[in-house]
Amino acid sequence: MTNTQEPQNTNTSGALAVAKAAAGLKLYDTASHAVSSFTPIKPGQVGIYVCGATVQSSPHIGHIRAAVAFDVVRRWFERLGYKVTFVRNVTDIDDKILDKAAAAGQQWWERAYIYEREFTEAYSKLGVEPPTYEPRATGHMIDMIDLIKKIIDNGHAYVVRDADGNPTGNVYFDVASWPHYGELTHQKQTAVSDAASEVTDAMGPSVDNAGNDKYNPVDPADMSPDKHDPRDFALWKAPKDSDPLDARWNTPFGTGRPGWHIECSAMSHRYLKDMFDIHGGGLDLRFPHHENEMAQTRAAGYDSAARWMHSAWVTAKGEKMSKSLGNGLSVPAVLAEHSAWVVRYALGSVQYRSMLEWSDQTLAEAQSAYDRVANFIERAGAAVGEQPSREEIMAISADALPADFVAAMNDDINVSGASAAIFTAIRSGNTLLSKLADRADSDVAKAEVREALVNVRAMLDTLGLDPLAEPWVSGAAGGAAGAGADSAEHDALDKLVSEQLAERAEARKAKDFARADAIRDALGAAGIAIEDGPQGSTWSLK
């Protein structure tokens, strides 16, 4: 009853061995509240499990931010030369799915599949690499049942029985029996709280702050009077009267369906076996989902993840973007107005642990970044007479990238610093281009430009943003204002500026330098830089 799949070749970096730069990688761990050096459990390999979507409705920008954030983490591991096994699950049975399907007159599995496809399309359009495995909860019932049996046998869960001693279908984790409960989120006396954990506790619940969570309402099963302790949580749930007959499974502890938390424990163990390197997810999953998941996995006798990483929220005017709060922006709606490259850049523009404020300014800055990137890549390719192949770009090891980029990525995936390194390289590349025509050693000069071009594209590729990679080159990521629109806008601008440059050339030829300077100044005021050379004048965006 498992939907196992053949793993894909995920080591796209092309490196034959782990890069020397890998020794400098440091990552934050939610449990320790500290940034520490990363050492893989298995040399040369990294196992990552990231909580995926509960496919109840269309994806919104808040959902996709986590996918983009961990896609960048994965890509950096690949660039470092690691073989990455990346697992992202699909929760395809859940109270919300059942309730919304019933309200819409749908089969619950029909609704789940419809929105799973929407999520897959959103991931694809935004350049998120497919996972090695993408298991569905409904394909792993035997795994969950076996895991619950182990927890019961180990004395850390109990079956609720009726007056006649028959199992009701409700099984709860016995928190009091597990002294390690709270280690992921609890502010222990021995742990020093840092700014990130304080923000997390203020904006979301934890063991210390277990009040109402407006983002993740309490599971009705966890409010049962049958629990021994208020902290206990459901491993298996008796069906509601309204639940369809095909949303119930028979088990030794009664008919029902899984609790939310047990799904990820079962699937992470199925695909990554014992302790794996990283468990990721959105910040709102930190408690209770991940706290409970860690406890039940270890109580079953298995090791949990060696490191827990959480991406922060997308906010709108300081409030978490959420459909339940009415401020969620659907991915299709955003892509109808902006190219997918621009949306991805905006979603990945800050370090994964930083809150990302979504606004028109955020998107405008992303569009400006695209213009600068595309302009340099186009001009550099024209200057050297070719664009380096995708195979060449993917084969660039982290050790061959600029030191400031590597240092930023090794600093807990600091994409802001990495982006700064990219634009530093672009500025240097533009300087090389402006001097190219004046260089006597033109072959050497072209080689320098080509090296800058390769570096820029390889750094962008590490962030999933090489404009000459899929999905950007095919236009599949576009939408109404996609890649085609970007190209059309550039062509229109090029035509207008070229006419001004032709008029300026005529003015200079007629020695009307006042007119020529006026045209140059007007273009400069509009954000367009003019570079004069023996072959004529060229332009670029400042």
Side-chain angles (χ1 to χ4, degrees):
M1 291 183 67
T2 60
N3 58 336
T4 54
Q5 308 160 24
E6 288 297 317
Q8 301 179 25
N9 179 12
T10 58
N11 188 16
T12 58
S13 68
L16 298 177
V18 176
K20 293 179 181 179
L25 178 59
K26 294 184 177 181
L27 298 171
Y28 185 80
D29 179 23
T30 299
S32 66
H33 301 315
V35 175
S36 59
S37 296
F38 174 82
T39 302
I41 295 170
K42 297 179 181 179
Q45 301 181 44
V46 176
I48 303 174
Y49 183 94
V50 173
C51 285
T54 298
V55 286
Q56 54 167 310
S57 55
S58 297
H60 65 71
I61 290 299
H63 292 136
I64 300 301
R65 193 270 169 101
V68 170
F70 285 101
D71 186 60
V72 173
V73 172
R74 172 191 185 172
R75 287 171 181 268
W76 182 235
F77 276 118
E78 291 172 346
R79 186 67 64 178
L80 288 170
Y82 287 106
K83 178 181 179 182
V84 179
T85 301
F86 190 93
V87 183
R88 183 184 66 218
N89 75 297
V90 176
T91 297
D92 60 343
I93 184 163
D94 172 84
D95 282 305
K96 292 179 180 178
I97 294 172
L98 295 174
D99 294 343
K100 289 184 177 182
Q106 297 170 304
Q107 300 283 357
W108 63 270
W109 43 264
E110 172 192 8
R111 185 178 186 89
Y113 188 64
I114 288 171
Y115 290 111
E116 179 185 338
R117 297 276 293 181
E118 282 199 17
F119 271 89
T120 299
E121 183 178 9
Y123 295 143
S124 178
K125 284 187 173 181
L126 291 169
V128 175
E129 292 184 327
T132 315
Y133 304 104
E134 191 165 30
R136 299 187 185 104
T138 53
H140 296 77
M141 291 298 170
I142 290 178
D143 295 309
M144 295 181 219
I145 292 168
D146 288 345
L147 191 66
I148 293 171
K149 287 179 182 177
K150 286 182 170 62
I151 299 171
I152 294 172
D153 291 344
N154 290 342
H156 299 300
Y158 53 91
V159 178
V160 176
R161 300 180 180 276
D162 62 20
D164 298 323
N166 298 314
T168 63
N170 285 317
V171 182
Y172 289 97
F173 186 86
D174 186 359
V175 170
S177 74
W178 189 249
H180 305 289
Y181 190 78
E183 287 186 354
L184 179 64
T185 57
H186 187 57
Q187 306 295 314
K188 296 176 291 185
Q189 294 296 321
T190 56
V192 178
S193 177
D194 66 356
S197 62
E198 289 174 359
V199 169
T200 299
D201 290 334
M203 298 190 72
S206 68
V207 173
D208 303 306
N209 177 26
N212 292 329
D213 179 6
K214 59 186 175 181
Y215 307 120
N216 291 298
V218 176
D219 187 331
D222 288 338
M223 300 174 67
S224 170
D226 295 326
K227 295 199 306 182
H228 296 176
D229 186 303
R231 298 173 299 168
D232 295 351
F233 56 89
L235 299 176
W236 195 260
K237 307 192 296 187
K240 299 180 296 184
D241 292 340
S242 60
D243 287 353
L245 294 178
D246 60 357
R248 311 177 187 202
W249 286 262
N250 294 322
T251 75
F253 25 87
T255 300
R257 53 189 171 86
W260 176 32
H261 317 300
I262 199 69
E263 298 174 359
C264 288
S265 289
M267 288 185 281
S268 63
H269 181 69
R270 160 65 68 174
Y271 295 97
L272 296 169
K273 301 306 177 186
D274 292 322
M275 181 181 283
F276 51 96
D277 296 284
I278 293 171
H279 195 310
L283 181 62
D284 49 344
L285 300 181
R286 177 175 170 266
F287 185 89
H289 183 49
H290 287 164
E291 185 70 72
N292 293 351
E293 187 185 335
M294 173 192 275
Q296 67 198 10
T297 299
R298 294 171 62 191
Y302 302 133
D303 287 325
S304 186
R307 186 183 300 264
W308 294 74
M309 297 172 65
H310 293 92
S311 60
W313 297 326
V314 177
T315 59
K317 297 181 180 178
E319 179 65 88
K320 180 197 172 189
M321 194 173 282
S322 168
K323 282 202 170 194
S324 61
L325 300 180
N327 64 350
L329 292 175
S330 76
V331 173
V334 174
L335 291 179
E337 298 183 0
H338 305 278
S339 78
W341 192 101
V342 166
V343 174
R344 177 176 174 117
Y345 183 95
L347 286 170
S349 59
V350 298
Q351 198 250 15
Y352 72 96
R353 285 197 290 129
S354 299
M355 299 293 176
L356 172 62
E357 179 68 14
W358 194 258
S359 66
D360 291 340
Q361 180 180 348
T362 305
L363 289 162
E365 291 172 354
Q367 181 63 57
S368 176
Y370 176 79
D371 293 339
R372 294 172 64 190
V373 163
N375 181 270
F376 170 72
I377 290 176
E378 180 181 348
R379 293 175 62 231
V384 301
E386 64 167 357
Q387 280 292 345
S389 69
R390 280 290 300 149
E391 289 73 22
E392 179 180 355
I393 298 303
M394 291 189 294
I396 301 298
S397 166
D399 288 338
L401 295 176
D404 51 351
F405 180 85
V406 173
M409 293 299 289
N410 271 346
D411 181 18
D412 196 25
I413 319 296
N414 179 6
V415 293
S416 297
S419 296
I422 291 172
F423 288 110
T424 295
I426 287 175
R427 284 194 297 272
S428 297
N430 282 329
T431 299
L432 291 172
L433 283 170
S434 68
K435 297 178 179 178
L436 183 62
D438 298 329
R439 292 276 293 272
D441 54 344
S442 58
D443 289 341
V444 174
K446 284 185 178 180
E448 291 174 348
V449 171
R450 193 180 192 283
E451 181 182 4
L453 175 60
V454 169
N455 279 337
V456 167
R457 285 188 54 197
M459 288 187 286
L460 287 165
D461 189 51
T462 303
L463 303 182
L465 292 168
D466 177 11
L468 300 183
E470 292 292 347
W472 323 121
V473 290
S474 67
D486 285 337
S487 178
E489 290 171 2
H490 182 274
D491 290 345
L493 182 59
D494 182 59
K495 184 176 181 180
L496 292 172
V497 175
S498 295
E499 289 176 356
Q500 291 292 299
L501 292 181
E503 184 178 340
R504 179 170 176 265
E506 288 297 321
R508 296 177 72 185
K509 185 177 180 180
K511 300 188 183 301
D512 186 356
F513 297 113
R515 176 60 181 158
D517 290 346
I519 294 173
R520 180 199 61 202
D521 294 343
L523 289 171
I528 295 170
I530 303 303
E531 296 174 1
D532 297 319
Q535 307 303 319
S537 300
T538 60
W539 68 273
S540 63
L541 295 173
K542 291 182 178 179

